[in-house]
Amino acid sequence: MDEDIRPGEIAVTLPETFDAGVYFIGRIRTPWTRREDCPRNARGSDAVCTIELDPRYAAALDGVATCTHLIIFYFMDRARRDLVVQVSRHSGRRGTFALRSPVRPNPIAMSVVTLLRIEDTTLFVIGLDCLDGTPLIDIKPYFATVDSVPDAVVGWSKSGNE
Amino acid sequence: MDEDIRPGEIAVTLPETFDAGVYFIGRIRTPWTRREDCPRNARGSDAVCTIELDPRYAAALDGVATCTHLIIFYFMDRARRDLVVQVSRHSGRRGTFALRSPVRPNPIAMSVVTLLRIEDTTLFVIGLDCLDGTPLIDIKPYFATVDSVPDAVVGWSKSGNE
Protein backbone atom coordinates (compact mmCIF):
# COMPACT_ATOMS: atom_id res chain seq x y z
CA MET A 1 0.00 0.00 0.00
CA ASP A 2 3.06 2.24 0.12
CA GLU A 3 2.11 3.91 -3.14
CA ASP A 4 -0.83 5.48 -1.34
CA ILE A 5 1.36 7.54 0.96
CA ARG A 6 1.19 11.28 0.33
CA PRO A 7 4.25 13.50 0.50
CA GLY A 8 5.01 14.18 4.18
CA GLU A 9 3.23 11.11 5.50
CA ILE A 10 5.13 8.58 7.60
CA ALA A 11 4.48 4.83 7.85
CA VAL A 12 5.93 2.49 10.48
CA THR A 13 6.39 -1.25 10.58
CA LEU A 14 3.63 -2.69 12.73
CA PRO A 15 4.18 -5.58 15.17
CA GLU A 16 4.07 -9.02 13.57
CA THR A 17 1.23 -10.28 15.72
CA PHE A 18 -1.85 -8.88 17.40
CA ASP A 19 -2.03 -8.71 21.19
CA ALA A 20 -5.78 -9.28 21.58
CA GLY A 21 -8.88 -9.98 19.54
CA VAL A 22 -12.22 -8.29 19.06
CA TYR A 23 -15.61 -9.65 18.08
CA PHE A 24 -17.85 -7.91 15.59
CA ILE A 25 -21.10 -7.78 17.59
CA GLY A 26 -23.34 -6.32 14.91
CA ARG A 27 -23.47 -4.08 11.86
CA ILE A 28 -24.16 -0.39 11.34
CA ARG A 29 -26.52 0.54 8.53
CA THR A 30 -26.14 4.00 7.03
CA PRO A 31 -27.14 5.68 3.77
CA TRP A 32 -23.48 5.88 2.66
CA THR A 33 -21.87 3.19 0.51
CA ARG A 34 -18.84 5.14 -0.72
CA ARG A 35 -16.34 6.91 1.50
CA GLU A 36 -16.68 10.15 -0.48
CA ASP A 37 -20.40 10.22 0.34
CA CYS A 38 -19.93 10.01 4.12
CA PRO A 39 -20.44 13.24 6.09
CA ARG A 40 -17.23 14.94 7.22
CA ASN A 41 -18.00 14.15 10.84
CA ALA A 42 -20.72 12.86 13.10
CA ARG A 43 -22.50 16.22 13.29
CA GLY A 44 -22.49 16.50 9.51
CA SER A 45 -25.79 14.71 8.96
CA ASP A 46 -29.16 14.29 10.65
CA ALA A 47 -29.74 10.99 8.87
CA VAL A 48 -31.28 8.28 11.00
CA CYS A 49 -28.94 5.28 10.99
CA THR A 50 -29.54 1.87 12.50
CA ILE A 51 -27.35 -0.35 14.61
CA GLU A 52 -28.19 -4.02 14.11
CA LEU A 53 -26.96 -5.91 17.15
CA ASP A 54 -26.26 -9.65 16.90
CA PRO A 55 -29.29 -11.22 18.68
CA ARG A 56 -26.81 -13.25 20.76
CA TYR A 57 -26.33 -10.09 22.85
CA ALA A 58 -29.99 -9.03 23.04
CA ALA A 59 -30.17 -9.20 26.85
CA ALA A 60 -27.29 -6.72 27.09
CA LEU A 61 -29.65 -3.97 25.90
CA ASP A 62 -31.61 -4.03 29.17
CA GLY A 63 -31.64 -0.44 30.44
CA VAL A 64 -30.17 1.10 27.28
CA ALA A 65 -33.50 2.66 26.30
CA THR A 66 -33.23 4.97 29.33
CA CYS A 67 -30.19 6.66 27.76
CA THR A 68 -30.60 9.78 25.65
CA HIS A 69 -27.11 9.39 24.19
CA LEU A 70 -24.78 6.46 23.55
CA ILE A 71 -21.13 5.96 22.70
CA ILE A 72 -20.71 3.70 19.70
CA PHE A 73 -17.43 1.94 18.84
CA TYR A 74 -17.01 0.54 15.35
CA PHE A 75 -14.21 -1.02 13.39
CA MET A 76 -12.93 0.77 10.30
CA ASP A 77 -11.93 -2.45 8.63
CA ARG A 78 -10.96 -0.90 5.31
CA ALA A 79 -8.38 1.48 6.80
CA ARG A 80 -4.62 0.98 6.67
CA ARG A 81 -3.04 0.95 10.12
CA ASP A 82 0.59 1.92 9.67
CA LEU A 83 0.55 5.71 9.21
CA VAL A 84 1.81 7.75 12.16
CA VAL A 85 1.79 11.09 10.32
CA GLN A 86 -0.98 11.94 7.88
CA VAL A 87 -1.58 14.75 5.41
CA SER A 88 -4.97 16.02 4.31
CA ARG A 89 -6.28 19.21 2.76
CA HIS A 90 -8.56 19.74 5.74
CA SER A 91 -6.20 19.05 8.64
CA GLY A 92 -2.75 19.67 7.18
CA ARG A 93 0.12 17.46 8.37
CA ARG A 94 -0.65 15.91 11.76
CA GLY A 95 0.28 13.01 13.95
CA THR A 96 -2.27 10.21 13.88
CA PHE A 97 -3.12 10.63 17.58
CA ALA A 98 -4.03 14.29 16.96
CA LEU A 99 -6.60 13.15 14.37
CA ARG A 100 -9.87 11.22 14.34
CA SER A 101 -8.94 9.66 10.98
CA PRO A 102 -9.86 5.95 10.62
CA VAL A 103 -6.21 5.37 9.69
CA ARG A 104 -4.53 4.42 13.00
CA PRO A 105 -2.86 1.36 14.60
CA ASN A 106 -6.20 0.23 16.03
CA PRO A 107 -8.90 1.52 13.65
CA ILE A 108 -11.66 1.70 16.24
CA ALA A 109 -13.78 4.80 15.73
CA MET A 110 -16.02 6.36 18.36
CA SER A 111 -19.16 8.42 17.86
CA VAL A 112 -21.57 9.94 20.34
CA VAL A 113 -25.10 9.37 19.03
CA THR A 114 -28.61 10.44 19.96
CA LEU A 115 -30.78 7.40 20.66
CA LEU A 116 -34.24 7.66 19.10
CA ARG A 117 -35.66 4.22 19.89
CA ILE A 118 -34.93 0.51 20.09
CA GLU A 119 -36.93 -2.21 18.28
CA ASP A 120 -35.85 -5.71 19.27
CA THR A 121 -32.09 -5.66 18.61
CA THR A 122 -32.12 -2.65 16.28
CA LEU A 123 -31.20 0.80 17.59
CA PHE A 124 -32.29 3.89 15.68
CA VAL A 125 -29.79 6.71 16.17
CA ILE A 126 -28.60 10.06 14.81
CA GLY A 127 -24.92 10.98 14.70
CA LEU A 128 -23.02 8.36 12.71
CA ASP A 129 -20.81 9.09 9.72
CA CYS A 130 -19.51 5.67 8.69
CA LEU A 131 -19.98 3.43 5.67
CA ASP A 132 -22.97 1.13 5.43
CA GLY A 133 -22.10 -2.30 6.84
CA THR A 134 -19.41 -1.10 9.26
CA PRO A 135 -18.80 -3.68 12.01
CA LEU A 136 -20.02 -2.77 15.51
CA ILE A 137 -17.61 -3.21 18.43
CA ASP A 138 -19.37 -1.75 21.48
CA ILE A 139 -22.30 0.25 22.85
CA LYS A 140 -21.80 2.31 26.02
CA PRO A 141 -24.02 4.72 27.97
CA TYR A 142 -22.90 8.37 27.71
CA PHE A 143 -22.46 9.86 31.17
CA ALA A 144 -22.31 13.66 30.98
CA THR A 145 -20.52 13.76 34.34
CA VAL A 146 -17.44 12.03 32.96
CA ASP A 147 -17.76 12.26 29.17
CA SER A 148 -18.80 15.87 28.55
CA VAL A 149 -16.12 18.60 28.46
CA PRO A 150 -17.73 21.58 26.69
CA ASP A 151 -14.63 23.78 26.92
CA ALA A 152 -12.12 21.27 25.55
CA VAL A 153 -9.83 22.71 22.88
CA VAL A 154 -7.89 21.16 20.02
CA GLY A 155 -5.38 23.92 19.42
CA TRP A 156 -4.29 22.93 15.93
CA SER A 157 -7.85 22.94 14.58
CA LYS A 158 -9.31 26.25 13.51
CA SER A 159 -12.75 24.77 13.05
CA GLY A 160 -12.71 22.99 16.40
CA ASN A 161 -13.54 19.85 14.54
CA GLU A 162 -11.66 17.00 12.91
CA MET B 1 -15.37 -18.87 35.30
CA ASP B 2 -19.05 -19.71 35.68
CA GLU B 3 -18.76 -19.88 39.46
CA ASP B 4 -18.20 -16.11 39.45
CA ILE B 5 -21.68 -15.37 38.13
CA ARG B 6 -23.93 -13.63 40.64
CA PRO B 7 -27.64 -14.44 40.95
CA GLY B 8 -29.47 -12.66 38.13
CA GLU B 9 -26.47 -12.41 35.85
CA ILE B 10 -26.59 -13.93 32.35
CA ALA B 11 -23.66 -15.31 30.34
CA VAL B 12 -23.73 -16.15 26.64
CA THR B 13 -21.54 -18.35 24.49
CA LEU B 14 -19.12 -16.14 22.61
CA PRO B 15 -18.12 -16.77 18.98
CA GLU B 16 -15.36 -19.32 18.52
CA THR B 17 -13.02 -16.94 16.75
CA PHE B 18 -12.19 -13.26 16.81
CA ASP B 19 -13.05 -11.08 13.83
CA ALA B 20 -10.13 -8.65 14.07
CA GLY B 21 -7.00 -7.98 16.10
CA VAL B 22 -5.69 -5.09 18.14
CA TYR B 23 -2.17 -4.03 19.03
CA PHE B 24 -1.19 -2.90 22.49
CA ILE B 25 0.51 0.40 21.67
CA GLY B 26 1.73 1.28 25.15
CA ARG B 27 1.02 0.95 28.86
CA ILE B 28 -0.86 3.07 31.36
CA ARG B 29 0.82 3.69 34.70
CA THR B 30 -1.45 4.46 37.64
CA PRO B 31 -1.12 4.32 41.44
CA TRP B 32 -3.57 1.37 41.60
CA THR B 33 -2.39 -2.23 41.58
CA ARG B 34 -5.55 -3.89 42.92
CA ARG B 35 -9.02 -3.51 41.44
CA GLU B 36 -10.49 -2.61 44.84
CA ASP B 37 -8.12 0.36 45.06
CA CYS B 38 -9.19 1.91 41.74
CA PRO B 39 -11.45 4.95 41.93
CA ARG B 40 -15.09 4.28 41.16
CA ASN B 41 -14.88 6.25 37.92
CA ALA B 42 -12.63 8.60 36.02
CA ARG B 43 -13.68 11.66 38.03
CA GLY B 44 -13.00 9.84 41.29
CA SER B 45 -9.36 10.83 41.55
CA ASP B 46 -7.11 13.76 40.72
CA ALA B 47 -4.07 11.49 40.59
CA VAL B 48 -1.63 12.22 37.79
CA CYS B 49 -1.26 9.09 35.70
CA THR B 50 1.12 8.49 32.83
CA ILE B 51 0.60 6.95 29.43
CA GLU B 52 3.76 5.33 28.12
CA LEU B 53 3.48 5.10 24.36
CA ASP B 54 5.56 2.55 22.45
CA PRO B 55 8.35 4.69 20.87
CA ARG B 56 7.50 3.04 17.53
CA TYR B 57 4.54 5.46 17.35
CA ALA B 58 6.36 8.58 18.61
CA ALA B 59 5.72 10.60 15.44
CA ALA B 60 1.98 10.07 15.85
CA LEU B 61 2.04 12.49 18.81
CA ASP B 62 2.71 15.48 16.54
CA GLY B 63 0.00 18.03 17.38
CA VAL B 64 -1.34 16.20 20.44
CA ALA B 65 0.18 18.76 22.84
CA THR B 66 -2.27 21.37 21.47
CA CYS B 67 -5.20 19.38 22.94
CA THR B 68 -6.51 20.20 26.40
CA HIS B 69 -8.36 16.87 26.58
CA LEU B 70 -7.86 13.43 25.04
CA ILE B 71 -9.89 10.28 24.63
CA ILE B 72 -7.97 7.24 25.83
CA PHE B 73 -8.88 3.67 24.85
CA TYR B 74 -7.44 0.84 26.90
CA PHE B 75 -7.90 -2.90 27.05
CA MET B 76 -9.29 -4.43 30.22
CA ASP B 77 -7.43 -7.67 29.69
CA ARG B 78 -8.39 -9.22 33.00
CA ALA B 79 -12.14 -8.95 32.43
CA ARG B 80 -14.41 -11.82 31.41
CA ARG B 81 -16.29 -11.08 28.19
CA ASP B 82 -19.39 -13.26 28.22
CA LEU B 83 -21.80 -11.51 30.60
CA VAL B 84 -24.75 -9.74 28.95
CA VAL B 85 -26.58 -8.95 32.21
CA GLN B 86 -24.63 -7.89 35.29
CA VAL B 87 -25.53 -7.30 38.91
CA SER B 88 -23.76 -4.90 41.25
CA ARG B 89 -24.62 -3.17 44.48
CA HIS B 90 -24.09 0.21 42.85
CA SER B 91 -25.94 -0.25 39.56
CA GLY B 92 -28.43 -3.01 40.29
CA ARG B 93 -29.24 -5.50 37.51
CA ARG B 94 -28.44 -4.02 34.09
CA GLY B 95 -27.65 -5.03 30.55
CA THR B 96 -23.95 -4.82 29.74
CA PHE B 97 -24.50 -2.10 27.12
CA ALA B 98 -26.18 0.10 29.75
CA LEU B 99 -23.01 -0.09 31.87
CA ARG B 100 -19.40 1.09 31.66
CA SER B 101 -18.24 -2.11 33.37
CA PRO B 102 -15.02 -3.62 31.95
CA VAL B 103 -16.95 -6.88 31.57
CA ARG B 104 -18.26 -6.79 27.97
CA PRO B 105 -17.75 -8.67 24.69
CA ASN B 106 -14.96 -6.27 23.68
CA PRO B 107 -13.40 -5.02 26.93
CA ILE B 108 -12.18 -1.71 25.54
CA ALA B 109 -12.67 1.09 28.06
CA MET B 110 -12.75 4.77 27.23
CA SER B 111 -11.82 7.71 29.44
CA VAL B 112 -11.72 11.43 28.75
CA VAL B 113 -8.56 12.82 30.34
CA THR B 114 -7.03 16.23 30.95
CA LEU B 115 -3.62 16.47 29.29
CA LEU B 116 -1.00 18.12 31.51
CA ARG B 117 2.13 17.71 29.38
CA ILE B 118 4.07 15.36 27.13
CA GLU B 119 7.72 14.34 27.66
CA ASP B 120 9.10 12.29 24.76
CA THR B 121 6.58 9.45 24.47
CA THR B 122 5.11 9.82 27.97
CA LEU B 123 1.82 11.69 28.46
CA PHE B 124 0.95 13.06 31.91
CA VAL B 125 -2.82 13.11 32.41
CA ILE B 126 -5.60 13.34 34.99
CA GLY B 127 -8.76 11.28 34.70
CA LEU B 128 -7.87 7.59 34.53
CA ASP B 129 -9.23 4.93 36.86
CA CYS B 130 -7.61 1.72 35.62
CA LEU B 131 -5.07 -0.70 37.04
CA ASP B 132 -1.35 -0.01 36.73
CA GLY B 133 0.01 -1.67 33.59
CA THR B 134 -3.24 -1.59 31.60
CA PRO B 135 -2.56 -1.92 27.85
CA LEU B 136 -3.12 1.20 25.75
CA ILE B 137 -5.19 0.89 22.56
CA ASP B 138 -5.65 4.41 21.21
CA ILE B 139 -5.26 8.16 21.82
CA LYS B 140 -7.73 10.54 20.16
CA PRO B 141 -8.25 14.32 20.33
CA TYR B 142 -11.44 15.32 22.18
CA PHE B 143 -13.55 17.63 20.02
CA ALA B 144 -16.18 19.41 22.12
CA THR B 145 -18.26 20.01 18.99
CA VAL B 146 -18.95 16.29 18.51
CA ASP B 147 -18.01 14.68 21.82
CA SER B 148 -19.57 16.94 24.45
CA VAL B 149 -23.26 16.51 25.33
CA PRO B 150 -23.74 18.23 28.70
CA ASP B 151 -27.46 17.41 28.95
CA ALA B 152 -27.20 13.70 28.19
CA VAL B 153 -29.17 11.52 30.61
CA VAL B 154 -28.81 7.90 31.72
CA GLY B 155 -32.29 7.35 33.06
CA TRP B 156 -31.60 4.27 35.16
CA SER B 157 -28.80 5.97 37.09
CA LYS B 158 -29.74 8.13 40.06
CA SER B 159 -26.22 9.45 40.42
CA GLY B 160 -25.82 10.23 36.73
CA ASN B 161 -22.67 8.19 36.82
CA GLU B 162 -21.67 4.60 36.24
Side-chain angles (χ1 to χ4, degrees):
Chain A
M1 292 196 290
D2 281 353
E3 64 271 26
D4 294 335
I5 292 189
R6 298 173 185 168
E9 292 190 328
I10 300 175
V12 296
T13 302
L14 292 169
E16 291 188 4
T17 57
F18 293 121
D19 297 295
V22 295
Y23 302 113
F24 294 167
I25 64 170
R27 292 275 164 186
I28 294 174
R29 309 312 307 260
T30 75
W32 308 294
T33 55
R34 301 182 309 166
R35 185 174 292 181
E36 55 267 38
D37 296 334
C38 292
R40 263 217 60 76
N41 66 62
R43 290 292 173 274
S45 169
D46 284 336
V48 176
C49 301
T50 57
I51 298 169
E52 299 179 349
L53 180 68
D54 182 338
R56 173 197 312 260
Y57 306 106
L61 290 175
D62 188 14
V64 173
T66 72
C67 301
T68 61
H69 295 77
L70 300 172
I71 296 168
I72 306 299
F73 283 8
Y74 44 98
F75 203 85
M76 309 299 279
D77 52 354
R78 302 195 203 177
R80 66 184 295 164
R81 300 171 68 155
D82 61 343
L83 294 189
V84 288
V85 173
Q86 302 176 45
V87 174
S88 73
R89 191 180 305 174
H90 183 77
S91 301
R93 183 176 188 271
R94 305 287 167 200
T96 291
F97 298 139
L99 298 169
R100 292 288 275 269
S101 160
V103 174
R104 51 206 317 117
N106 293 306
I108 300 170
M110 173 207 128
S111 286
V112 178
V113 302
T114 303
L115 177 63
L116 301 178
R117 67 185 187 280
I118 303 176
E119 296 179 5
D120 296 325
T121 51
T122 301
L123 290 74
F124 294 77
V125 304
I126 293 175
L128 291 172
D129 58 5
C130 59
L131 286 170
D132 185 48
T134 296
L136 176 70
I137 294 289
D138 201 4
I139 300 170
K140 300 181 191 289
Y142 184 99
F143 285 95
T145 45
V146 293
D147 298 320
S148 180
V149 186
D151 57 352
V153 170
V154 176
W156 66 257
S157 170
K158 288 176 188 164
S159 68
N161 216 318
E162 76 262 52
Chain B
M1 293 197 288
D2 280 355
E3 64 271 26
D4 294 334
I5 292 189
R6 298 172 184 167
E9 293 190 328
I10 300 174
V12 297
T13 302
L14 292 169
E16 292 187 4
T17 56
F18 293 121
D19 295 296
V22 295
Y23 303 111
F24 295 166
I25 63 169
R27 291 275 165 186
I28 295 174
R29 309 311 307 261
T30 75
W32 308 294
T33 55
R34 301 182 309 166
R35 186 174 290 181
E36 55 268 37
D37 296 333
C38 292
R40 262 218 59 77
N41 65 61
R43 290 292 171 278
S45 168
D46 283 336
V48 176
C49 301
T50 57
I51 298 169
E52 300 179 348
L53 180 68
D54 181 339
R56 174 197 310 261
Y57 306 107
L61 290 175
D62 188 14
V64 173
T66 73
C67 302
T68 61
H69 294 77
L70 300 171
I71 296 168
I72 306 300
F73 282 9
Y74 44 100
F75 203 83
M76 310 298 280
D77 53 352
R78 302 195 203 177
R80 66 184 295 164
R81 300 172 67 155
D82 61 343
L83 293 189
V84 288
V85 173
Q86 302 176 46
V87 174
S88 73
R89 192 180 305 174
H90 183 78
S91 302
R93 183 177 188 268
R94 305 289 166 198
T96 291
F97 298 139
L99 297 169
R100 292 289 274 269
S101 161
V103 174
R104 52 207 315 118
N106 293 306
I108 300 169
M110 172 205 129
S111 285
V112 178
V113 303
T114 303
L115 177 64
L116 300 178
R117 68 184 187 280
I118 303 176
E119 296 178 5
D120 295 324
T121 51
T122 300
L123 290 75
F124 294 77
V125 304
I126 293 175
L128 291 171
D129 58 3
C130 59
L131 286 169
D132 185 48
T134 296
L136 176 69
I137 294 290
D138 203 5
I139 300 169
K140 299 180 191 291
Y142 184 98
F143 285 95
T145 45
V146 294
D147 298 321
S148 179
V149 185
D151 56 352
V153 171
V154 176
W156 67 256
S157 169
K158 288 176 188 164
S159 68
N161 216 317
E162 77 260 50

